[in-house]
Structure formats: C-alpha cells, structure tokens
Amino acid sequence: MSTDKDVIIVTNHTDVRGGINVTTISGLQILNNTYTTAKTAGNLTMGDNIHNNDTATREFKMAINAKDATGDRNTLKLLGLECVYNCVPTIEVIPISDTTKYWSNMTTWPSGKLPVEGDEVEIKSGDWVVLDLVETPILNKLRINGRLSFQNDPKDGKNINLRARLIHVLAGELEIGNSTNPFNASFTA
C-alpha cells in the first residue's frame, strides 16, 4: 500500500448496532466521528472512523493507510456493540412457569393493555406466553426472556403471523411446536 494514499473503507451493516468500538493493539480506543470536514483524505490517521447508525444510512467508514504502520495503530480491532446507551441489564434466569398466559389477555401485560404497533414488548423471565392471535401488530422490538409459544390446535390449526422489526431471544425460548406436538399450521415471523 502506498504511504502517501489513504484508503477509506465503507461498509454497510444491516444488523442493529449501537456502536462499533475501534481499538489499537495496545487497547487505546479510537473514537467514532474522528474524521470530519476538518480532516481530509490527505491527513487521516489509520483507524479514523465514522459510524452512522441512522436507519437510512447504516454504514461504517474507516481510514486505512500505511503512514503510521509502525505506530500504535498498525493493528486495529473492531467490536460491534448492539447497545451502548439504555441497554438491557443482565437477565436473571428463572425457571419457566407451568402456568400459561395468553397474548390476547390484557392481564398478561404489565400495562394492562394489549401490545400495539411500534411497542417494545418483553416476555419476562419465568413467564410462558401463548401467542393466540392470527397476527400481531408490527412491534418495534420483541424481547423473549421467558417462553413464547404459538397456540397449536391439532384439529384446526390456524396460521400465525408474528410481526416485529427485531426479535431477541435472550434468556428464553421461542417455541413453535415440539417433537410430541408439532405445529399444525403455517407461521411467519
């Protein structure tokens, strides 16, 4: 690689990222947004980067050059972080209850209301919720820390459409039938 040329690597990422940490071989973190209009292609330092996580753009740009290849930045490490601010705390794993709650029952939800489009919904650790609707509203996020299973009628199975922009099965289970009781319809998620 030429020592007087900068190469800018631009990559998109479709996975949700709260941030991307760039660190040097010695562990020094290189901050995001370190190159702007004040830094031009001629004076970038290896590892200078911008992380743009807005929905329309979702791209990561990083400068690669050989000008300082002998310095601390000669080897870089990248670590994608799903969450940087207001992150989900560590989940306490609780055995899943034998008592089922039904999605369509308002008492299942802490708010006392059924989830609506755009909501962030959590199946709490230890809870077992049965999805008994044909279709959910489009949720912004569904976090499963307990068990979410699809209602399954062996005689008259109904198709189920679970709609969410993001589904995280963290400390839980998403059960769509099992070996002794296979799901008797179609589902989409």
Side-chain angles (χ1 to χ4, degrees), residues 2 9 17 26 31 41 48 52 61-62 64 75 77 89 95-96 105 113-114 117 122 136 141 159 171 177 182 184-185:
S2 170
I9 293 181
R17 290 280 181 238
S26 66
L31 298 178
D48 285 348
N52 191 334
K61 298 178 184 179
M62 185 170 75
I64 304 293
T75 300
K77 297 177 184 177
I96 294 174
N105 189 334
K113 298 177 184 174
L114 296 181
E117 185 163 339
E122 179 183 4
T136 66
K141 184 185 288 187
N159 297 338
N184 189 33

Side-chain angles (χ1 to χ4, degrees), residues 117-130:
E117 185 163 339
D119 278 356
E120 292 191 8
V121 174
E122 179 183 4
I123 308 298
K124 296 204 177 288
S125 188
D127 284 354
W128 181 358
V129 176
V130 176

